[in-house]
């Protein structure tokens, strides 16, 4: 009889463990989707494919405590308008990825949180950069963006070749990433400069930029990062 009760208790605990795990995964899936929706509303990701992942198990215990060890956010295929909002001068972003460490929910009503550390990358493809410099040139053939040496600090360099307004162009462009702004300079090209701002979580900014074989990679870093409503807003 005792063995039978031990067996029943073991089965009962196993069932409860499965049910708890299922409930935990359902809850984290809902939270991921809700966090993604809020990020779209708050930042410049309204046209992005958004993926938010709250790491760690169990999620329900973390949620009850209001603290999360690691949250990742990825926005894919969205665009930014320039600060001047001129026709055709939007910048296509291939991917923005953020890793948030030690996240604490600071206000449920304001839907805000704070992360002790944020690190991430923003990437641009040469195809999208080729389309951009072609649009900026306005007239002429297709311009081509490709890798170049010489990236330094927060300034990434890439080659721009082709024909702009009937003139052959073979130039080294610079994409400068400072604060939350990206600025482009293409020597010798029509409309040789443009700038874009991106809304990032408070206390997060660009720290470096470099040309890679696949595109431009820009790194981001932030400390005591406020997510959602700023603690300085009213």
């Amino acid at each position: 009889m005792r063995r039978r009760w031990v067996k029943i208790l073991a089965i009962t605990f196993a069932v409860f463990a499965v049910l708890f795990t299922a409930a935990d995964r359902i809850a984290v899936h809902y939270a991921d989707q809700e966090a993604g929706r809020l990020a779209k509303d708050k930042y410049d990701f309204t046209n992005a494919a958004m993926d938010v992942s709250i790491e760690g198990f169990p999620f329900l215990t973390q949620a009850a405590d209001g603290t999360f060890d690691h949250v990742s956010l990825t926005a894919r295929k969205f665009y930014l308008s320039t600060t001047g909002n001129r026709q055709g001068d939007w910048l296509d972003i291939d991917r923005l990825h953020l890793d948030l460490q030690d996240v604490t929910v600071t206000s449920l009503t304001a839907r805000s949180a704070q992360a002790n550390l944020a690190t991430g990358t923003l990437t641009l493809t040469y195809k999208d950069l080729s389309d951009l410099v072609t649009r900026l040139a306005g007239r002429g053939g297709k311009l081509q963006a490709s890798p170049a040496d010489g990236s330094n600090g927060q300034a990434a360099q890439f080659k721009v070749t082709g024909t702009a307004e009937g003139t052959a162009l073979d130039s080294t462009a610079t994409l400068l990433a400072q604060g939350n702004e990206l600025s482009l300079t293409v020597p010798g090209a029509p409309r040789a400069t443009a700038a874009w701002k991106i809304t990032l979580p408070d206390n997060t900014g660009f720290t470096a930029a470099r040309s890679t074989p696949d595109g431009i990679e820009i790194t981001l870093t932030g400390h005591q990062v406020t997510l959602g409503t700023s603690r300085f807003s009213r």
Side-chain angles (χ1 to χ4, degrees), residues 32 51-55 70-74 97-100:
D32 288 346
D51 179 34
V52 175
S53 179
I54 301 172
E55 308 295 340
H70 178 204
V71 178
S72 66
L73 180 152
T74 304
H97 178 78
L98 285 173
D99 283 307
L100 307 168

Side-chain angles (χ1 to χ4, degrees), residues 56-154:
F57 180 85
F59 164 77
L60 292 172
T61 302
Q62 296 182 88
D65 191 42
T67 59
F68 304 91
D69 292 338
H70 178 204
V71 178
S72 66
L73 180 152
T74 304
R76 296 182 178 86
K77 303 299 183 183
F78 63 100
Y79 63 87
L80 305 173
S81 296
T82 64
T83 53
N85 289 315
R86 296 178 297 186
Q87 185 176 4
D89 60 6
W90 71 87
L91 175 66
D92 287 307
I93 305 297
D94 183 59
R95 180 177 180 267
L96 170 66
H97 178 78
L98 285 173
D99 283 307
L100 307 168
Q101 309 291 338
D102 299 326
V103 179
T104 302
V105 176
T106 54
S107 173
L108 291 175
T109 56
R111 295 183 175 183
S112 64
Q114 187 176 79
N116 283 341
L117 175 65
T119 57
T121 55
L122 182 147
T123 55
L124 313 170
T125 68
Y126 289 121
K127 178 185 181 303
D128 289 336
L129 289 170
S130 297
D131 292 340
L132 169 67
V133 293
T134 299
R135 293 194 307 269
L136 290 177
R139 296 190 301 273
K142 174 77 173 179
L143 295 178
Q144 184 68 42
S146 58
D149 296 329
S151 296
N152 183 29
Q154 292 174 263

